[in-house]
Amino acid sequence: MNSMVKTYSQNANHNMRRPVVKEEIVELMRERQAQHTGFLKELEDFARGQNIPIIPHETVAYFRVLLQTLQPRQILEVGTAIGYSALLMAENSPKARITTIDRNEEMLSYARENIARYDQRKQIELLEGEAGDLLSSLPDDQYDFVFMDSAKSKYIVFLPEILKKVKVGGLIVLDDVFQGGDVARDIQEVRRGQRTIYRGLQRLFDATLDNPDLTASLLPLSDGLLLLRKNVEEVRLEA
């Protein structure tokens, strides 16, 4: 290998090994990208003040681009919390009908109030109860876009039913799949209280990341997003 090619190869390998999402880059993404105004900013500030987890600003910015581009007509969300993400999706998909599911009574009380107050186009339907019970009652082949932000160990449990509800070509986005980096470790290095989540996420990865019936992508935004495109009518999951 001549010196020029060798130098190029060394530089390329060095660049590939450099961590992308450094703390200062996360700060840049959160500070420099367009900020919320109006009621979404109020909800964001409220959630931060009450220590209620909502999607962070870099994910918000990504959702804006994604939803404005896709313009889905039917959206399903599993995990409403205070209604922040449902209202964000409504704002960026003004023709969409949004069905959102949650079971936590404290969060539901916030969600009811926020949706009633801010869902001006009446796009959002809030379903209250266990996702495992409610999903089976929803129509198949209905949704263009699904956002899952519920118990991480249940993603793989809910996914077979979710896939029935999504149209071919539809997109499923699953939030917080990196478990603070634990998913890259051996299970013995993971705290015992987190191992159920770890096992559930590993089963999810095994079933989806190399599945020919899906197109999958992991994104290092926030605590990790998994994107799944449904490519065929009946997706086979082996987990």
Side-chain angles (χ1 to χ4, degrees):
M1 184 184 297
N2 64 46
S3 59
M4 183 177 294
V5 173
K6 184 176 181 180
T7 300
Y8 176 84
S9 178
Q10 290 172 339
N11 288 339
N13 288 334
H14 173 68
N15 289 337
M16 288 176 67
R17 295 191 185 109
R18 291 174 61 188
V20 175
V21 190
K22 300 179 181 179
E23 185 175 349
E24 58 267 32
I25 297 299
V26 173
E27 290 178 3
L28 182 147
M29 288 192 292
R30 292 182 178 178
E31 293 174 3
R32 293 296 302 274
Q33 298 186 94
Q35 302 295 311
H36 280 318
T37 58
F39 74 87
L40 285 172
K41 178 69 165 78
E42 293 176 17
L43 292 180
E44 185 177 52
D45 291 343
F46 171 79
R48 305 293 184 221
Q50 297 296 316
N51 204 28
I52 297 170
I54 60 172
I55 55 176
H57 193 65
E58 64 272 27
T59 305
V60 168
Y62 176 68
F63 265 46
R64 283 196 194 111
V65 174
L66 190 64
L67 291 165
Q68 289 178 24
T69 301
L70 295 176
Q71 286 298 308
R73 293 303 184 100
Q74 294 285 344
I75 295 175
L76 173 63
E77 178 183 52
V78 181
T80 312
I82 65 171
Y84 174 80
S85 50
L87 288 161
L88 170 72
M89 292 188 287
E91 184 176 75
N92 289 280
S93 304
K95 296 182 180 180
R97 300 294 305 168
I98 300 168
T99 302
T100 183
I101 298 171
D102 210 299
R103 66 173 186 172
N104 184 297
E105 185 54 44
E106 183 180 4
M107 293 297 104
L108 283 168
S109 66
Y110 291 129
R112 292 186 204 107
E113 179 180 347
N114 292 330
I115 291 170
R117 184 174 181 183
Y118 298 121
D119 180 24
Q120 296 182 352
R121 289 185 291 264
K122 306 303 179 188
Q123 295 173 251
I124 301 170
E125 179 185 14
L126 175 61
L127 301 182
E128 303 179 14
E130 294 283 349
D133 298 330
L134 292 170
L135 286 171
S136 61
S137 68
L138 298 177
D140 291 350
D141 299 315
Q142 174 83 2
Y143 299 97
D144 314 292
F145 187 91
V146 178
F147 180 46
M148 297 181 68
D149 191 13
S150 58
K152 314 313 166 195
S153 62
K154 293 293 186 71
Y155 282 169
I156 187 59
V157 177
F158 295 154
L159 187 59
E161 194 67 38
I162 290 285
L163 285 165
K164 295 178 185 177
K165 310 306 170 185
V166 180
K167 298 175 181 178
V168 173
L171 184 66
I172 304 168
V173 180
L174 301 96
D175 197 22
D176 297 328
V177 296
F178 287 169
Q179 202 189 5
D182 280 355
V183 291
R185 302 187 177 102
D186 184 273
I187 192 170
Q188 298 304 320
E189 300 174 30
V190 177
R191 288 186 293 117
R192 289 190 179 275
Q194 299 296 312
R195 290 183 183 179
T196 298
I197 298 173
Y198 175 93
R199 292 188 183 97
L201 290 172
Q202 295 297 342
R203 289 176 60 209
L204 176 70
F205 294 159
D206 289 343
T208 61
L209 293 181
D210 194 28
N211 189 321
D213 296 340
L214 301 166
T215 302
S217 178
L218 287 167
L219 295 183
L221 287 173
S222 180
D223 194 23
L225 298 179
L226 172 60
L227 274 61
L228 302 173
R229 182 188 187 272
K230 180 179 175 179
N231 294 333
V232 297
E233 186 66 41
E234 294 187 12
V235 176
R236 293 160 297 175
L237 292 179
E238 297 180 7

